Amino acid sequence: MDKKACFHCGNSVTAFNRIDYDEKMFCCNGCKTVYEIFNENDLTCYYDLEATPGATPEEVNGKYDFLGNSDIVEKLLEFNEGSTAIVSLYIPHIHCSSCIWILENLHKLNPGVYRVLVNFPEKKATITFNTEAIDLKEIVLLLCRIGYEPYISLKSYEEKPNSIDRSLIYKIGVAFFCYGNVMMLSFPEYFNIDDVWMQEYKNFFRWLILFLSLPVFFYSASPYHKAAWTGIRTKNYTIDIPMSLGIIVMFIRSTVDIVFDLGPGFFDSMTMLVFFMLLGKLFQQRTYNFLSFERDYKSYFPIAITKLTKQGTEEPIQVYDVEQGDRLLIRNQELLPVDSILLSERAFIDYSFVTGEAIPVEKKSGDKLFAGGKQMGEAVEVEAINKVSQSYLTQLWSNEVFQKRVDLKYKTITDTVSHYFTPALLTIAVLAFTGWAFVDLNSAFNVVTAILIVACPCALALTAPFTLGNAIRILGRKKFFLKNVTVVEQMAKVDTLVFDKTGTITTNAQSTIQYEGVELDKTQQADIKNLVRASNHPLSRKLYAFLQAKVVSKPTQFEEIAGKGIVGEINGKAYKIGSATLVGAKATERLNETAVHLAIDGQYLGKFIFENHYRPGLEELFKNLSQSQYKLSILSGDNEGEKAYLESILPRETTLAFNQKPEEKLEYVKGLQQKGGNVMMIGDGLNDAGALAQSNVGVSVSENVNVFTPASDAILDASVFDQLLGYLNFSKQSVKVIKISYVLALTYNVIGITVSIMNMMSPLLAAILMPISTFTIISFVTLLTNYYGKKIK
């Protein structure tokens, strides 16, 4: 069987799906249609920028009917005045230059679109259009036809523009302006220029420096003063106390020097110190604006649903407007937004994201369906028995046990060090002042000033922000996105890893069915599809969805034998589809695969293989994690069907637990913590939300980092799942860098304080040494984290 790539999307082209057109191969009619659209509109340059950049367009029959509701549309539009409207749509498929090019040329496909601006990192397209020529629904359908279906969720409906706090940027800007000018005005003092001109204007320059330093002291450094005052009031001796004290001492001493013409003061050091400390804070705060680590069910739910009126007509309504007793129409791949009762004869509900169960569950008329399930197959009718706010999934999110507890708040390494450093420094300064006061009061002031300046813990304060900020930047480049810098420290302490199974160590991204045997022609494929269509067995449903052939005729004979398969006749040929025993073949299935065998007119032709697709490198990853002394567990909402296979590929020490409900996963993680474990939970679905919140580090694995990940501390791109151990090792190395730099910084301080106590260091020299130590530490931690970052494998 030939395996070639689709010209449009790059998916595999086989005998089951091959379509030839214009001397090119396509994997489906959808890809071929998109090519035709681009070709007719002279947009084939799309394929020149990147090879196979497209995505297969999905069926959207009726899915966006809710965009005919003007109230919903008005909520989604960012601007609507006269005939011009603007909307921003999140489009998950945006991934390359071809995507940007085609979207920004959307006006060539419909002149009603004025322009499109693509925000590549956020995967958002801002579309300006003429409401008299095209409406929002037509734009969305146009995007769907070319394989760029937008993702519109309940969150999109309620999302309000976030107010951006720019105060830190303003403080840095003021500090940078003042620092640069103070340094420039200080040059004559540095070089000890002593000419007539300098003597004439020296005091003017010094007063100008004092004037420039005022906004830095009172405005830019204000966060440190406030934090220090809060720390003193709460008796929480943070690193902000000595830092604020050092700034205050430098400011007062410098002001005294200039007012009484005793010297130039240390305003250059003070402004520089404040600028770099604020820069470190900005580095620490930097995060991924295009990612959300606090998602809830609103990111998962549809914005609207189709209601069936008493007259039998379809009416799109907003999901919050669903009332108990409403009849709803749930189409293929649509989510159930509320708990309901099935009215149609049967339905296949995929609860994998909610419960972890991988195989769709068959439900019959009268069965209860829970919110969050996805209908697989034909459209079904249901009757709502709850509102959205009262449904199972919503209540699951609102459950107290699923909320991150405050007492789990992590104490950073900087907090720990400052807890001892601050009282020790203040004690030394008081003792030194007291001792020298008996000798000479002026010397006592010089000594205490030098101590507080040289020991100002700017290096200590900057080490962690620069190291950890650099670490999350490096990890982000390697597709492991952390919520904040504290997660790096928490990862370094992890000793137990708990994995969810479905969607975490398994992948849904690849095709799960392969065919081995004699090649089947289109008629045979259609016959097989006609036969399995009548079967409710999960494998039959998968095979039916896999086969591309159209249904054209009914079987003349059909019998489903429990536990064996299907025996039927169609178009004059006898088919047997099922177990090896049924078709008279040898059972040769491997441990991690299920096969459906095929025989036509008594001749064995081959088998369809339903392989369990575990992520590449899973076996090696678990082996290396075990050798690195991590305790490993796998929790699954599935039954024990794959237990034997997992036991055969994973280390013996790995704990396996099946049939786990969300609450049981949470309790499992809590139990490990009560035994002293530092737990990293790796999951992907809403059923893992409680365990992710309870764990010390919760990691969401996602095929697409921008959608459908539950709230977590980190988001791991599924394509780099096998590099998890490398990320854990890197976090340990980052903390090691911090500890080494702390030793260096403390060494600086011990030497500086010792010399200061002996009254052998002037405040001026202390003010020069302090920034030198800061530069050294920042350079050291940046270089070393980059070095370790390059070694991540």
Side-chain angles (χ1 to χ4, degrees):
M1 186 184 300
D2 58 334
K3 288 186 177 179
K4 297 183 179 177
C6 172
F7 179 74
H8 175 69
C9 71
N11 285 342
S12 176
V13 174
T14 68
F16 292 97
N17 60 11
R18 176 168 175 162
I19 296 174
D20 292 302
Y21 177 78
D22 200 17
E23 298 182 347
K24 296 173 176 62
M25 288 187 301
F26 298 92
C27 67
C28 63
N29 277 313
C31 288
K32 171 178 161 279
T33 303
V34 177
Y35 170 78
E36 287 179 305
I37 292 172
F38 291 164
N39 195 28
E40 289 169 3
N41 292 277
D42 195 23
L43 292 171
T44 51
C45 182
Y46 176 70
Y47 300 103
D48 298 333
L49 296 171
E50 297 282 341
T52 63
T56 304
E58 302 287 342
E59 292 287 340
V60 293
N61 295 333
K63 184 176 179 181
Y64 294 102
D65 285 352
F66 65 87
L67 293 177
N69 185 319
S70 58
D71 292 337
I72 294 176
V73 170
E74 193 62 34
K75 279 272 191 178
L76 293 173
L77 293 178
E78 293 179 352
F79 176 85
N80 188 13
E81 187 68 39
S83 61
T84 303
I86 300 175
V87 65
S88 287
L89 296 173
Y90 171 63
I91 301 177
H93 183 66
I94 294 175
H95 72 289
C96 68
S97 55
S98 287
C99 301
I100 297 173
W101 183 84
I102 195 66
L103 289 172
E104 294 191 342
N105 281 280
L106 202 65
H107 60 278
K108 292 184 178 178
L109 294 177
N110 192 311
V113 175
Y114 288 141
R115 63 180 171 274
V116 179
L117 293 175
V118 177
N119 183 330
F120 186 72
E122 295 186 14
K123 300 193 175 190
K124 274 190 177 178
T126 302
I127 303 170
T128 307
F129 60 99
N130 183 348
T131 52
E132 294 176 355
I134 188 172
D135 60 28
L136 182 57
K137 182 179 176 182
E138 290 173 303
I139 290 175
V140 169
L141 294 179
L142 173 62
L143 290 169
C144 293
R145 278 202 300 276
I146 61 173
Y148 286 92
E149 182 177 358
Y151 178 63
I152 303 174
S153 68
L154 194 55
K155 190 178 180 184
S156 312
Y157 184 81
E158 296 186 335
E159 201 167 45
K160 301 285 186 295
N162 294 325
S163 57
I164 301 171
D165 182 8
R166 293 193 171 90
S167 60
L168 180 59
I169 300 293
Y170 297 149
K171 287 182 173 69
I172 291 175
V174 169
F176 179 68
F177 172 80
C178 298
Y179 159 57
N181 283 282
V182 168
M183 290 294 286
M184 185 179 68
L185 294 170
S186 301
F187 271 120
E189 300 273 4
Y190 294 158
F191 296 105
N192 200 21
I193 298 172
D194 195 20
D195 57 15
V196 176
W197 184 85
M198 184 63 199
Q199 290 297 327
E200 182 70 21
Y201 292 100
K202 183 174 69 177
N203 287 335
F204 172 74
F205 284 146
R206 286 181 177 178
W207 278 96
L208 190 56
I209 289 172
L210 171 59
F211 175 75
L212 285 168
S213 301
L214 291 176
V216 177
F217 179 76
F218 288 106
Y219 176 64
S220 298
S222 59
Y224 297 99
H225 302 322
K226 289 177 184 174
W229 177 240
T230 304
I232 291 170
R233 282 196 308 169
T234 58
K235 296 182 180 178
N236 182 20
Y237 303 119
T238 64
I239 203 78
D240 294 310
I241 296 174
M243 281 169 41
S244 176
L245 199 56
I247 294 169
I248 292 171
V249 167
M250 278 194 280
F251 178 79
I252 294 175
R253 179 61 190 261
S254 302
T255 304
V256 169
D257 284 356
I258 291 177
V259 169
F260 296 99
D261 198 19
L262 302 175
F266 321 109
F267 284 123
D268 50 347
S269 296
M270 188 199 79
T271 52
M272 185 208 65
L273 172 66
V274 173
F275 169 67
F276 277 105
M277 287 196 302
L278 291 172
L279 206 60
K281 192 183 283 283
L282 179 68
F283 205 57
Q284 191 176 32
Q285 285 185 357
R286 185 183 172 194
T287 187
Y288 311 97
N289 295 326
F290 58 96
L291 291 178
S292 173
F293 292 89
E294 303 294 348
R295 295 189 174 105
D296 61 12
Y297 67 92
K298 292 173 187 171
S299 301
Y300 185 59
F301 268 25
I303 190 171
I305 199 74
T306 303
K307 177 183 174 182
L308 296 172
T309 64
K310 292 179 180 177
Q311 293 74 31
T313 58
E314 297 181 6
E315 176 190 350
I317 59 170
Q318 209 270 334
V319 291
Y320 283 137
D321 294 337
V322 175
E323 297 287 344
Q324 185 178 353
D326 282 352
R327 290 165 68 96
L328 307 173
L329 183 69
I330 310 297
R331 297 184 174 87
N332 181 31
Q333 300 286 327
E334 274 191 354
L335 289 169
L336 287 158
V338 293
D339 297 341
S340 48
I341 297 293
L342 180 64
L343 299 179
S344 297
E345 186 180 348
R346 68 181 183 188
F348 289 90
I349 307 297
D350 176 2
Y351 282 119
S352 60
F353 199 72
V354 180
T355 65
E357 175 61 51
I359 300 174
V361 181
E362 182 183 4
K363 295 289 183 181
K364 295 184 178 176
S365 183
D367 285 350
K368 183 177 180 179
L369 309 178
F370 291 100
K374 183 186 289 184
Q375 161 61 6
M376 309 297 289
E378 299 174 353
V380 296
E381 287 184 33
V382 301
E383 181 177 311
I385 57 174
N386 280 324
K387 293 183 175 182
V388 170
S389 59
Q390 297 168 341
S391 290
Y392 166 73
L393 190 63
T394 318
Q395 292 181 359
L396 196 67
W397 278 101
S398 304
N399 193 328
E400 280 186 10
V401 297
F402 276 29
Q403 309 301 317
K404 198 85 175 179
R405 287 164 46 194
V406 177
D407 58 3
L408 289 177
K409 188 179 177 183
Y410 184 75
K411 193 167 187 177
T412 66
I413 191 170
T414 305
D415 293 338
T416 307
V417 172
S418 62
H419 184 74
Y420 300 100
F421 178 84
T422 304
L425 175 64
L426 295 177
T427 303
I428 291 171
V430 170
L431 290 176
F433 178 83
T434 306
W436 276 99
F438 288 104
V439 180
D440 177 41
L441 194 58
N442 189 45
S443 298
F445 277 109
N446 276 338
V447 166
V448 77
T449 304
I451 288 175
L452 291 175
I453 293 175
V454 79
C456 180
C458 50
L460 285 175
L462 290 174
T463 289
F466 273 87
T467 305
L468 301 179
N470 202 30
I472 65 169
R473 184 182 62 80
I474 291 169
L475 290 172
R477 280 199 319 226
K478 295 184 179 292
K479 301 183 179 180
F480 187 43
F481 307 96
L482 305 187
K483 183 177 179 180
N484 55 49
V485 293
T486 309
V487 181
V488 181
E489 289 186 48
Q490 292 171 301
M491 279 177 59
K493 290 192 172 183
V494 164
D495 55 19
T496 305
L497 281 85
V498 180
F499 293 83
D500 167 56
K501 187 176 80 65
T502 306
T504 301
I505 63 172
T506 64
T507 173
N508 297 319
Q510 302 174 31
S511 171
T512 56
I513 302 178
Q514 296 178 26
Y515 175 75
E516 286 182 1
V518 179
E519 190 167 316
L520 303 175
D521 59 35
K522 294 293 182 187
T523 304
Q524 291 170 325
Q525 293 176 32
D527 289 348
I528 296 168
K529 184 160 187 171
N530 288 333
L531 284 165
V532 298
R533 180 170 180 253
S535 170
N536 291 335
H537 194 281
L539 295 180
S540 296
R541 307 303 305 173
K542 286 186 176 180
L543 190 54
Y544 179 81
F546 168 73
L547 294 167
Q548 301 272 324
K550 294 182 179 177
V551 177
V552 292
S553 57
K554 292 184 178 179
T556 52
Q557 181 199 341
F558 177 85
E559 183 184 1
E560 187 165 13
I561 304 171
K564 291 188 175 180
I566 297 169
V567 177
E569 187 174 317
I570 187 169
N571 292 327
K573 292 184 179 296
Y575 285 78
K576 287 185 178 178
I577 307 168
S579 65
T581 310
L582 180 71
V583 300
K586 291 183 179 178
T588 57
E589 290 94 12
R590 293 187 292 270
L591 199 53
N592 66 329
E593 70 176 32
T594 302
V596 171
H597 298 264
L598 171 69
I600 301 178
D601 289 336
Q603 182 183 359
Y604 180 77
L605 295 184
K607 60 183 179 181
F608 294 94
I609 300 170
F610 297 74
E611 191 169 354
N612 298 316
H613 279 280
Y614 287 91
R615 296 198 183 280
L618 174 72
E619 194 173 345
E620 188 72 15
L621 172 65
F622 270 67
K623 179 184 170 187
N624 292 334
L625 285 170
S626 179
Q627 289 176 348
S628 300
Q629 306 302 316
Y630 285 104
K631 297 172 187 169
L632 304 172
S633 299
I634 291 180
L635 307 181
S636 176
D638 274 348
N639 56 40
E640 297 185 359
E642 294 175 35
K643 183 177 180 181
Y645 174 67
L646 287 170
E647 285 177 340
S648 71
I649 65 167
L650 301 182
R652 288 184 181 178
E653 301 78 19
T654 306
T655 304
L656 301 176
F658 293 88
N659 299 308
Q660 294 286 300
K661 295 177 181 175
E663 297 86 350
E664 291 171 330
K665 290 184 177 181
L666 185 153
E667 289 301 324
Y668 186 88
V669 171
K670 191 187 287 184
L672 292 173
Q673 290 173 325
Q674 287 170 348
K675 293 175 185 173
N678 275 289
V679 182
M680 172 185 276
M681 173 72 200
I682 303 105
D684 77 308
L686 297 181
N687 59 313
D688 305 318
L692 288 169
Q694 176 65 37
S695 62
N696 301 84
V697 181
V699 179
S700 290
V701 177
S702 178
E703 307 286 351
N704 184 334
V705 297
N706 297 78
V707 295
F708 280 176
T709 54
S712 58
D713 298 306
I715 299 175
L716 175 65
D717 191 301
S719 64
V720 293
F721 178 79
D722 59 335
Q723 295 184 21
L724 187 60
L725 178 58
Y727 301 145
L728 287 165
N729 289 335
F730 179 63
S731 66
K732 290 180 179 176
Q733 288 157 345
S734 298
V735 172
K736 182 180 168 186
V737 170
I738 294 174
K739 290 179 178 175
I740 294 173
S741 62
Y742 276 173
V743 172
L744 287 175
L746 288 172
T747 304
Y748 278 134
N749 285 338
V750 169
I751 295 172
I753 290 171
T754 304
V755 176
S756 299
I757 290 174
M758 297 167 68
N759 198 18
M760 295 174 65
M761 181 181 293
S762 70
L764 177 61
L765 182 59
I768 294 172
L769 289 178
M770 185 264 294
I772 290 175
S773 69
T774 303
F775 273 124
T776 309
I777 296 297
I778 291 175
S779 303
F780 174 77
V781 299
T782 304
L783 290 173
L784 211 54
T785 46
N786 282 339
Y787 169 73
Y788 285 129
K790 289 180 181 175
K791 295 176 71 175
I792 296 177
K793 293 181 180 176

